């Protein structure tokens, strides 16, 4: 079996790998997997875009997604397996390849398909018949796909370690010299997807704190509801390089993830990065069952209601005034993410429970473990 990995977004994988070896960038999980299973990586770049690609992209994906799907359909056959890291590329690939008599085996990771365009794409392109394995990272996506498409249990797989965090990069190392010079507590936050920085601004504008936000996401743009109309004097938003972002987490007294209402588990990457740096976290409770509410209920993080800036302010004051409680929560969160949401666990889970279903690894656990050890020795020597 020949292995392939299709990426939703275009990234310089080789440069990322090189920077990761130097400790300047978190490792790219798909590059790590490609090294273990000797897979070829495909990205939507340098493609010929046809008018029909633009038309199909109005339903799901991007023009480049459909162009890459056409290209891969000409290259892949029954001896190939392809894993797509998102539905925006996975559905186009499955749709185009379904027309082949001898098509490749296809697995797709679904992030947030239960929305109007998602319903249309699932039905119009008949993905139930063209995708061999539906992969999810949350309970809500698993339940939705299982019931909406009436999938048998063996056709869907939830990665319990999703999303994974590079716990060799995000670590609770020493704070910077600037922290020792600060005169008041520092609150950190980050990301754009479903963020509610208006509530954070209302909760902190009259507190004796500084708020710094890494207002960047490689895959999302801010909505009109994300930021306050006028930024408080104690709040700063900007772009942070990776090493600076890690240092922001380390210097912070609290990390806060204020979220707008959403039907999926928004904010998990930032949440786990902060937890890996052993920081106390306040996060908006999710309306759906899942990892966020589990962490809140277990006491690993503090939860607040969506849009309730008064409750958020009270939670901030409680943790700042009770450092022992804050550190106890931080330690619980740190142990959780290092145990369950690190790259090694994600790779092991995906390779053994997803790719091995198609026979190529022959369920060889020793091979996988050995390759994981080789990756560990490659990074952060």
């Amino acid at each position: 079996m020949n292995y392939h990995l299709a990426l939703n977004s275009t990234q310089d994988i080789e440069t990322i790998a090189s920077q990761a070896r130097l400790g300047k960038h978190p490792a790219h999980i798909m590059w790590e997997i490609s090294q273990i299973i000797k897979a070829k990586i495909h990205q939507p770049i340098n493609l010929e875009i046809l008018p029909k690609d633009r038309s199909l992209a109005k339903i799901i994906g991007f023009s480049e997604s459909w162009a890459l799907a056409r290209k891969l359909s000409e290259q892949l056959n029954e001896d190939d397996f392809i894993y797509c890291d998102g539905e925006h590329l996975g559905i186009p690939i499955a749709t185009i390849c379904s027309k082949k008599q001898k098509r490749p085996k296809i697995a797709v990771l679904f992030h947030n398909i239960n929305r109007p365009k998602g319903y249309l794409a699932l039905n119009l392109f008949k993905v139930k018949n063209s995708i061999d394995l539906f992969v999810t990272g949350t309970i809500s996506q698993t339940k939705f796909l299982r019931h909406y498409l009436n999938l048998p249990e063996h056709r869907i797989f939830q990665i319990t370690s999703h999303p994974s965090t590079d716990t060799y990069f995000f670590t609770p190392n020493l704070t910077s010299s600037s922290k020792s010079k600060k005169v008041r507590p520092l609150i950190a936050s980050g990301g754009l997807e479903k963020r509610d920085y208006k509530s954070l601004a209302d909760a902190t504008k009259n507190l004796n704190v500084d708020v710094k936000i890494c207002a960047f996401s490689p895959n999302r743009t801010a909505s009109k509801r994300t930021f306050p109309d006028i930024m408080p004097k104690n709040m700063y938003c900007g772009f942070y390089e990776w090493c600076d972002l890690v240092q922001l987490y380390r210097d912070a007294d609290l990390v806060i993830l204020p979220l707008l209402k959403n039907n999926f588990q928004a904010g998990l990457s930032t949440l786990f990065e902060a937890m890996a740096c052993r920081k106390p976290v306040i996060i908006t409770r999710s309306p759906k069952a899942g990892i966020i509410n589990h962490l809140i209920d277990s006491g690993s993080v503090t939860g607040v209601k969506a849009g309730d800036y008064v409750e958020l302010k009270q939670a901030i004051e409680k943790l700042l005034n009770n450092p022992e409680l804050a550190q106890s929560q931080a330690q619980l969160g740190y142990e959780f993410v290092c145990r369950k949401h690190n790259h090694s666990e994600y790779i092991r889970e995906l390779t053994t429970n997803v790719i091995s279903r198609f026979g190529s690894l022959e369920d060889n656990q020793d091979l996988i473990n050995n390759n994981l050890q080789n990756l560990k020795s490659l990074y952060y020597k």
Side-chain angles (χ1 to χ4, degrees), residues 329-348:
Q329 288 192 354
Q331 183 64 31
L332 288 174
Y334 173 72
E335 292 173 357
F336 176 85
V337 76
C338 288
R339 184 175 67 253
K340 291 190 174 182
H341 288 273
N342 59 76
H343 273 15
S344 295
E345 284 303 312
Y346 189 100
I347 294 169
R348 183 179 292 109

Side-chain angles (χ1 to χ4, degrees), residues 268-380:
L268 288 183
S269 294
T270 303
L271 171 64
F272 290 151
E273 289 167 4
M275 290 165 65
C277 292
R278 200 187 289 142
K279 290 298 170 179
V281 177
I282 299 174
I283 189 169
T284 304
R285 183 177 284 276
S286 173
K288 301 272 187 179
I291 188 64
I292 291 176
N293 291 348
H294 168 75
L295 289 169
I296 293 172
D297 295 338
S298 67
S300 299
V301 301
T302 295
V304 295
K305 294 188 290 293
D308 192 335
Y309 73 89
V310 174
E311 184 183 19
L312 177 56
K313 179 181 179 181
Q314 293 172 344
I316 293 170
E317 292 176 321
K318 180 179 180 179
L319 289 178
L320 289 179
N321 293 329
N322 293 273
E324 290 185 359
L325 172 62
Q327 287 309 307
S328 174
Q329 288 192 354
Q331 183 64 31
L332 288 174
Y334 173 72
E335 292 173 357
F336 176 85
V337 76
C338 288
R339 184 175 67 253
K340 291 190 174 182
H341 288 273
N342 59 76
H343 273 15
S344 295
E345 284 303 312
Y346 189 100
I347 294 169
R348 183 179 292 109
E349 191 174 8
L350 184 60
T351 52
T352 57
N353 291 289
V354 178
I355 300 178
S356 64
R357 294 185 184 210
F358 299 94
S360 64
L361 290 181
E362 298 177 350
D363 214 14
N364 192 334
Q365 188 68 50
D366 290 336
L367 172 62
I368 294 171
N369 287 337
N370 288 337
N371 282 333
L372 286 174
Q373 291 301 320
N374 290 337
L375 279 176
K376 288 180 181 179
S377 64
L378 180 62
Y379 285 123
Y380 317 116

